[in-house]
Amino acid sequence: MTRTFKALAWGSVVGFIGLAFSFTHTARGFEEDLGLALLFNLRGVQQSPTEAVVVSIDRDSSEILKIPDNPDKWPRSVHAKLVDTLTRAGAKAITFDVHFIEPKTKGEDRLFQQAIRRAGNVVLADAMRAKDLPTSSNGNDASDTATIVKLTKPFEPFAQAATGTAPFVLPRIPFKVNQYWTFQQGAGDVPTFPIVALQLYGWEALGDLIQLMKQVAPAYAEKVPGNVERERITRGLVGMIRDLRDLFEGDPMLAERVREALDRSDLSETDGHRYRLLKALINLYGGETSRYINFYGPPGTVTTIPYHQALKIGTKSGAGLDVKGKAVFVGLSEVLLAERKDSFYTVFSQGNGVFIGGVEIAASAFLNILDDTTIVPISMSAHIWLLLCWGILVGGLCLLLPVSMAAGVMVGLAGLYLAVAAYQFQSYQQWYPVVLPLLVELPIGFVGAVLWNYVESERERKNIRNAFGLYLPNDVVDHLAKDMANIKGTTQVVYGTCLFTDAGDYTALSEKMTPKELSDFLGRYFEALFQPVRKHGGLIVDLKGDSILAIWKESHDDPALRKRACLAALEMSESVARFNQSVAPYNLPTRIGLHAGELTIGAVGAMDHYEYRPTGDVVNTASRVEGFNKYVGTQIAVSNEVIQGLDGLLTRQLGTFRLKGKGKPLGLHELMSRSAQAEEARRETCIVFAEGLMAFQNRCWGEARAAFLRCIDVTENDGPSQFYLTLCDQYLKTPPSEESWDAVVTLEKK
């Protein structure tokens, strides 16, 4: 594989990783919370268009007007006065982001109602209440819910007097507000009040829009209003908006065809204002339901007039305040803190913790559509190609270039990408992903390439190390890798448990097979032995003929280490039994012996030949313990040093023995099984055998003989019982002297 091909392969992997991650909720959340915020911060604050004005309900106004701080308790006569003032000043649309649900003082309500009717261009806010109802039978799964939304209209006289009523609920999950709905989801897709305000503001262009629709789709002639003024009276403004929205939704290409017809006309040259309104209405009806807000800046960036000053518009003290031909949004708007209602956290809240009012967000949404400056993510196809190509670029370069050069190139590429993304965002409101290319793909491409190069450079050394690992334990290989010349430095004194095995009938079996057959057979046999040793952390240090030597070593006596050796021995016995069944009629009955103590392990040899093996009396004794099995007919024999202090194992004491070539007596046990797996017959045999062994050690030969016979009744052909029966018969005929009796059995053969 050439290096260029490897670079392309790695770059493709990086690209697909970034692309796959981009479809997760986590990635989308990062792009909105971090990427979008970064682009807004790079762009900075923008001057908002002047077609929308916010009249702010704030604390200063409540103090100056000497009315309650709570906007819900403001006298309705004050709002009536504001409506009259704005109407006289030529406001084109007036939208209240205030809920007028309940009636109050009749006189106050009547004044407000009359002012709304006189104005003829007032939009009031619907209150929205959402309730999640379970759809599953248990009702406990949060995902099995349906959201039922109930719209609460304003007080009926107000609603009848208003040009229209509409909701405007912003999604507050996640916590930061980035989007809004043009048509409220969950409430029958009713238009939100920025949309109603926009249609009211652009009423003069509605007839032109309908004519363009008829031009590109004559079939709609009967579906669109013939007389918009009459239709507004009979159907209502909100009803007309919903009807037009349904037409655009039913024909996905309608908006594009109408837009093309508008561009073919000369309206952009003859009447720029009308052209702008038409384009905004097409974007309104033919665009997405959920849109990203193009915030102009922190609270107060949209032209804002305090409520008490708005009441002075048209007077000398209100000179300079202009709302003529503009859309006015009235609501709670000031330098808000989180505890105030109708306050939202946005990208411009990060630096100072200040929250923005919902009414200013509504005004921003209105201006975004009117000015065609809504934030638009790049298309899905562009998104896919961008992440794939960027991943291939950064991954490939990182793999081809030296590490230091690749780091510099990546910094330069990241800066270039961010500059392009910021330019597209500022100039065309195009939202390019930032987090995924710069904080996911680029680091993965760089780090992965560094690791790839490192892995390749280490591969040859690793192959050599693996070859050593077939013959030496890992810690020794590590030592040699650091200092190959000091091979003697691998020797250490440890406390270890040695395990010896030996296969019976091996000599006879070897005579029946060819060398190749015998080699394959032994390979399978050793695999059955090796797996339990490896599983329980043992180290196989010697292999001769049909026998293996394994050890478990530590710097000190560790009962857990000895127990792992015992468990390995039990599993080796089970594994060999399964092996013998699979190779019948061949059979390799295997004996196992364990002993523990202090030993030396390391390189043994001289000149140009060394072997890694343990040395010491423990090793020789373990070999004798393995051979002891032949005397007493057991399969696994362990010494006192191994079994002392261990629980969870079924063992029986076999007595004290002086093994061939050993001067010191050794207490030996048979390791039978795990305690939890022990059969009742085995437990009974252990109990009765212990009675017989006690009698034997006390020179009660007849009593001991009777106990051993009972063991044979329980467990037929019980080897240790047969062994002691022979000794009892011998001592009944020729008892040893009391002076020389120490209850130690001396074995003359290995």
Side-chain angles (χ1 to χ4, degrees):
M1 185 185 295
T2 65
R3 191 165 184 81
T4 302
F5 183 80
K6 291 178 182 178
L8 288 174
W10 173 239
S12 299
V13 170
V14 173
F16 279 108
I17 289 175
L19 182 60
F21 184 57
S22 71
F23 292 111
T24 65
H25 290 293
T26 302
R28 288 194 290 269
F30 281 146
E31 280 296 348
E32 286 200 12
D33 291 340
L34 301 178
L36 193 57
L38 175 61
L39 292 174
F40 270 113
N41 288 327
L42 290 174
R43 188 205 69 184
V45 178
Q46 280 189 336
Q47 184 175 358
S48 70
T50 60
E51 285 84 352
V53 174
V54 172
V55 172
S56 62
I57 298 174
D58 52 22
R59 288 189 175 96
D60 290 342
S61 293
S62 63
E63 292 176 2
I64 293 172
L65 298 175
K66 295 181 172 53
I67 53 180
D69 181 47
N70 185 351
D72 293 335
K73 297 182 180 180
W74 279 28
R76 302 243 168 109
S77 58
V78 175
H79 295 311
K81 183 178 179 182
L82 177 68
V83 171
D84 287 337
T85 301
L86 296 175
T87 303
R88 286 194 302 270
K92 216 170 182 183
I94 304 170
T95 302
F96 276 88
D97 187 13
V98 180
H99 294 151
F100 300 106
I101 306 300
E102 302 293 336
K104 292 188 177 179
T105 307
K106 286 185 178 182
E108 296 276 340
D109 290 347
R110 185 169 54 254
L111 288 175
F112 189 38
Q113 176 190 0
Q114 292 170 350
I116 294 172
R117 180 172 287 112
R118 283 193 301 271
N121 63 350
V122 176
V123 179
L124 299 180
D126 290 334
M128 240 175 78
R129 299 291 183 268
K131 182 179 182 182
D132 290 334
L133 299 179
T135 58
S136 62
S137 58
N138 55 30
N140 295 325
D141 189 351
S143 63
D144 293 334
T145 59
T147 301
I148 305 298
V149 176
K150 180 182 179 182
L151 287 180
T152 303
K153 295 290 183 181
F155 180 43
E156 186 174 357
F158 299 162
Q160 290 177 351
T163 302
T165 67
F168 188 58
V169 177
L170 294 168
R172 301 187 76 158
I173 300 175
F175 180 54
K176 185 186 295 181
V177 174
N178 293 311
Q179 297 173 270
Y180 71 97
W181 289 297
T182 55
F183 291 82
Q184 195 73 55
Q185 292 184 342
D189 287 338
V190 296
T192 55
F193 61 67
I195 305 311
V196 178
L198 179 63
Q199 180 58 88
L200 189 59
Y201 179 85
W203 183 256
E204 61 196 81
L206 182 58
D208 295 331
L209 174 63
I210 291 173
Q211 290 303 317
L212 287 174
M213 293 173 64
K214 291 179 180 179
Q215 177 183 332
V216 301
Y220 289 138
E222 297 180 358
K223 299 180 181 180
V224 296
N227 185 311
V228 293
E229 290 295 342
R230 184 172 62 249
E231 191 74 15
R232 174 175 167 182
I233 295 172
T234 57
R235 182 78 173 106
L237 180 60
V238 172
M240 290 179 61
I241 293 173
R242 295 183 67 174
D243 290 343
L244 287 172
R245 173 66 175 180
D246 290 343
L247 290 176
F248 277 86
E249 277 195 322
D251 185 354
M253 297 303 297
L254 179 59
E256 186 63 29
R257 298 202 303 271
V258 173
R259 189 177 293 110
E260 290 174 357
L262 175 61
D263 291 337
R264 288 194 300 267
S265 70
D266 59 355
L267 197 60
S268 61
E269 298 177 0
T270 59
D271 192 342
H273 175 68
R274 207 176 192 88
Y275 174 83
R276 183 185 180 204
L277 289 177
L278 268 171
K279 190 175 180 181
L281 292 179
I282 295 170
N283 291 337
L284 163 64
Y285 290 112
E288 297 292 333
T289 299
S290 177
R291 306 192 186 190
Y292 286 93
I293 308 166
N294 186 0
F295 291 101
Y296 299 101
T301 304
V302 175
T303 304
T304 302
I305 303 173
Y307 201 104
H308 68 277
Q309 291 184 8
L311 293 174
K312 300 176 183 178
I313 295 175
T315 65
K316 290 183 180 180
S317 57
L321 301 177
D322 180 24
V323 294
K324 185 176 182 180
K326 299 180 180 181
V328 178
F329 293 82
V330 184
L332 186 66
S333 178
E334 55 183 331
V335 180
L336 297 168
L337 300 178
E339 65 268 13
R340 292 297 295 264
K341 71 174 185 176
D342 199 35
S343 60
F344 299 90
Y345 186 74
T346 70
V347 292
F348 286 102
S349 301
Q350 295 177 356
N352 50 21
V354 174
F355 284 51
I356 192 171
V359 68
E360 188 166 351
I361 295 177
S364 299
F366 170 90
L367 291 171
N368 288 173
I369 301 177
L370 180 63
D371 216 31
D372 195 17
T373 55
T374 299
I375 300 300
V376 180
I378 61 174
S379 66
M380 180 56 68
S381 59
H383 174 88
I384 292 172
W385 279 110
L386 174 65
L387 293 182
L388 285 178
C389 293
W390 178 259
I392 292 172
L393 177 64
V394 298
L397 287 177
C398 287
L399 198 64
L400 287 173
L401 300 175
V403 174
S404 57
M405 185 181 296
V409 170
M410 290 305 105
V411 171
L413 279 177
L416 178 62
Y417 181 95
L418 192 58
V420 171
Y423 174 78
Q424 291 293 114
F425 186 80
Q426 180 171 351
S427 301
Y428 304 105
Q429 295 76 51
Q430 281 284 315
W431 175 16
Y432 281 72
V434 174
V435 174
L436 287 170
L438 301 185
L439 300 183
V440 176
E441 287 187 318
L442 194 148
I444 289 176
F446 181 76
V447 174
V450 171
L451 292 177
W452 188 322
N453 288 326
Y454 175 79
V455 167
E456 282 197 332
S457 66
E458 292 292 312
R459 184 174 296 168
E460 187 173 340
R461 249 180 291 178
K462 185 178 180 180
N463 289 337
I464 296 174
R465 190 186 185 285
N466 289 340
F468 274 112
L470 296 175
Y471 304 94
L472 299 172
N474 289 335
D475 57 341
V476 176
V477 174
D478 292 338
H479 179 85
L480 293 177
K482 296 176 182 178
D483 187 7
M484 181 66 78
N486 186 23
I487 190 170
K488 295 181 180 180
T490 61
T491 302
Q492 55 184 174
V493 178
V494 298
Y495 191 96
T497 300
C498 289
L499 181 151
F500 259 101
T501 72
D502 187 46
D505 300 334
Y506 171 71
T507 302
L509 181 65
S510 63
E511 294 175 351
K512 300 176 183 178
M513 295 183 176
T514 65
K516 178 65 168 62
E517 290 173 337
L518 183 61
S519 176
D520 294 342
F521 184 87
L522 284 178
R524 295 174 59 191
Y525 171 70
F526 286 135
E527 184 178 353
L529 294 178
F530 288 0
Q531 286 180 348
V533 175
R534 298 292 192 196
K535 175 182 175 182
H536 291 282
L539 175 66
I540 297 169
V541 294
D542 201 4
L543 181 66
K544 288 185 178 179
D546 60 333
S547 301
I548 69 168
L549 168 61
I551 65 169
W552 284 257
K553 63 185 180 71
E554 189 54 84
S555 59
H556 58 281
D557 181 16
D558 184 359
L561 202 70
R562 291 187 275 115
K563 186 169 184 178
R564 289 205 297 271
C566 292
L567 294 176
L570 289 172
E571 292 187 19
M572 290 171 77
S573 177
E574 296 169 358
S575 182
V576 169
R578 290 192 297 270
F579 168 79
N580 287 332
Q581 289 178 356
S582 68
V583 297
Y586 299 121
N587 191 34
L588 279 181
T590 301
R591 299 179 296 271
I592 304 171
L594 292 93
H595 185 51
E598 195 173 77
L599 54 87
T600 299
I601 185 168
V604 178
M607 298 179 65
D608 60 351
H609 182 80
Y610 284 87
E611 292 184 9
Y612 185 83
R613 62 170 61 233
T615 56
D617 181 65
V618 171
V619 182
N620 296 328
T621 302
S623 176
R624 297 292 192 274
V625 173
E626 179 276 313
F628 166 77
N629 286 292
K630 290 185 288 187
Y631 278 98
V632 296
T634 53
Q635 189 174 18
I636 307 175
V638 299
S639 64
N640 278 343
E641 287 77 2
V642 173
I643 209 70
Q644 184 178 7
L646 301 187
D647 56 10
L649 301 171
L650 179 65
T651 63
R652 63 169 160 174
Q653 185 179 3
L654 298 176
T656 305
F657 297 85
R658 186 174 289 105
L659 303 178
K660 174 68 175 177
K662 309 296 293 183
K664 185 178 178 181
L666 189 67
L668 296 176
H669 302 254
E670 179 187 11
L671 178 59
M672 304 177 76
S673 68
R674 297 174 186 259
S675 297
Q677 299 173 351
E679 299 174 356
E680 190 59 35
R682 284 195 168 193
R683 294 182 183 276
E684 185 178 350
T685 299
C686 290
I687 294 172
V688 176
F689 187 87
E691 296 174 359
L693 183 61
M694 179 69 73
F696 177 85
Q697 292 173 342
N698 291 332
R699 298 171 53 85
C700 301
W701 319 119
E703 182 181 339
R705 192 176 188 282
F708 294 135
L709 285 173
R710 283 162 50 206
C711 286
I712 294 174
D713 289 338
V714 175
T715 304
E716 187 177 355
N717 298 324
D718 182 51
S721 298
Q722 295 281 9
F723 175 81
Y724 275 105
L725 275 176
T726 302
L727 286 179
C728 287
D729 290 342
Q730 177 184 333
Y731 291 160
L732 282 171
K733 294 178 181 179
T734 309
S737 64
E738 291 188 23
E739 294 79 8
S740 63
W741 178 250
D742 57 3
V744 175
V745 179
T746 300
L747 302 179
E748 300 296 336
K749 297 180 181 180
K750 292 185 180 179

